Amino acid sequence: MIHESAQIHPTAVVEEGVTLGANVKIGAFSFVGTGVEIGEGTEVKTHVVIKGPTKIGRDNKIFQFASIGEECQDLKYAGEPTTLEIGDRNTIRESVTMHRGTVQDGGHTQVGSDNLFMINAHVAHDCMIGNRCIFANNATLAGHVTVGDFAIVGGMTAIHQFCTIGSHCMLGGGSIVVKDVPPYVMAQGNHCEPFGINVEGLKRRGFEKSAIKAIRAVYKEVYRSGKTLEEAKKSVAEMAKDEEALQLFVEFFEKSSRGIIR
């Protein structure tokens, strides 16, 4: 179904079985394939390819040469009907690629809302991206990567498959990430190493001084106390009882499977 207010350039190709919401714009020479659903107010600029099954929310901006919802690059993929879902108000810049999932995982790639994907960023199959993240130019996510809210991934940074990037992290440019990165941590390097917490980012997001102090205390407990990670986890769980912001650490450690950067 195509809403009467949708604007489709005469040179664009929109296949049967596409749903376009109110005020959607499809630019010149773009292609929108069967099984694609695009929400109200989203603008697809020129020379964009979107294939389904893909669902895109409202008020997104997708710039030229982006490839959205294409088959993944996993050799195990055999044409199964996997999906991609993108939230609202994302900015997807030139040549960004986002692939559908694989049946070996949940069959689904998920991108949240209010994210910025700069030029040539790549979101591989089965990734789970939160909200209000920034992926700088050429940031590359391998398959099955999970990224929490408010994370910043620097340009030319590559994240290994199955890694988890905690909320409010900041990864410096040119980093190679092969382990999980706890919430709030700043990290950089090949291989990526921790360099303290993202204090400036937390201040900008309105964290209280007491919360930032508690987060810093957890960082010291994990990285400077000399304790094993298992010992530190127990201490962090106790500390989280008195500070809500620390609950992110508890949840992260429960789900982390690759081990954390050290």
Side-chain angles (χ1 to χ4, degrees):
M1 181 181 72
I2 298 177
H3 194 275
E4 61 183 9
S5 64
Q7 301 175 39
I8 303 172
H9 192 276
T11 62
V13 175
V14 177
E15 292 188 329
E16 295 291 331
V18 169
T19 300
L20 302 181
N23 300 309
V24 168
K25 296 180 181 179
I26 307 297
F29 301 103
S30 286
F31 174 88
V32 183
T34 300
V36 172
E37 179 179 340
I38 302 178
E40 177 180 345
T42 287
E43 181 178 2
V44 178
K45 296 184 182 290
T46 67
H47 297 88
V48 174
V49 175
I50 306 176
K51 294 186 177 181
T54 292
K55 182 177 181 180
I56 300 173
R58 60 184 300 163
D59 298 320
N60 296 281
K61 287 188 176 182
I62 305 176
F63 285 73
Q64 54 267 30
F65 311 116
S67 177
I68 308 298
E70 185 55 271
E71 294 180 1
C72 68
Q73 299 177 119
D74 191 324
L75 293 175
K76 296 189 299 297
Y77 182 74
E80 299 92 349
T82 56
T83 58
L84 165 67
E85 183 172 356
I86 299 171
D88 305 326
R89 299 175 302 278
N90 294 288
T91 299
I92 300 172
R93 294 302 304 244
E94 298 90 326
S95 302
V96 168
T97 52
M98 296 182 177
H99 291 169
R100 304 195 309 273
T102 62
V103 294
Q104 286 76 24
D105 198 337
H108 182 66
T109 303
Q110 179 77 46
V111 175
S113 298
D114 300 295
N115 298 296
L116 169 59
F117 297 87
M118 296 187 192
I119 294 170
N120 214 43
H122 175 61
V123 178
H125 59 89
D126 304 290
C127 285
M128 296 289 157
I129 311 299
N131 305 309
R132 298 184 180 277
C133 299
I134 298 173
F135 298 85
N137 296 347
N138 297 286
T140 301
L141 278 61
H144 315 278
V145 168
T146 299
V147 181
D149 298 339
F150 293 99
I152 298 175
V153 180
M156 305 295 292
T157 289
I159 302 176
H160 192 280
Q161 60 191 21
F162 293 103
C163 281
T164 297
I165 309 301
S167 297
H168 304 280
C169 283
M170 184 171 184
L171 304 180
S175 296
I176 305 298
V177 185
V178 298
K179 298 287 186 181
D180 297 341
V181 183
Y184 308 114
V185 167
M186 290 197 306
Q188 188 175 19
N190 180 7
H191 291 348
C192 198
E193 297 180 358
F195 290 94
I197 65 169
N198 186 13
V199 175
E200 192 60 36
L202 299 181
K203 289 180 179 177
R204 292 176 181 177
R205 294 168 203 141
F207 278 67
E208 299 289 342
K209 289 184 178 179
S210 58
I212 294 175
K213 182 179 180 181
I215 292 167
R216 183 179 279 114
V218 168
Y219 180 88
K220 292 179 179 178
E221 186 73 11
V222 173
Y223 287 112
R224 297 181 182 174
S225 67
K227 295 180 179 179
T228 66
L229 182 57
E230 291 303 316
E231 292 171 338
K233 286 180 184 179
K234 295 178 181 179
S235 299
V236 171
E238 287 298 316
M239 297 163 71
K241 294 177 180 179
D242 300 318
E243 174 53 61
E244 183 178 357
L246 302 187
Q247 191 61 37
L248 282 180
F249 283 110
V250 177
E251 295 169 0
F252 171 86
F253 288 134
E254 288 177 350
K255 298 177 181 178
S256 176
S257 60
R258 285 189 57 83
I260 67 171
I261 60 171
R262 303 295 282 179

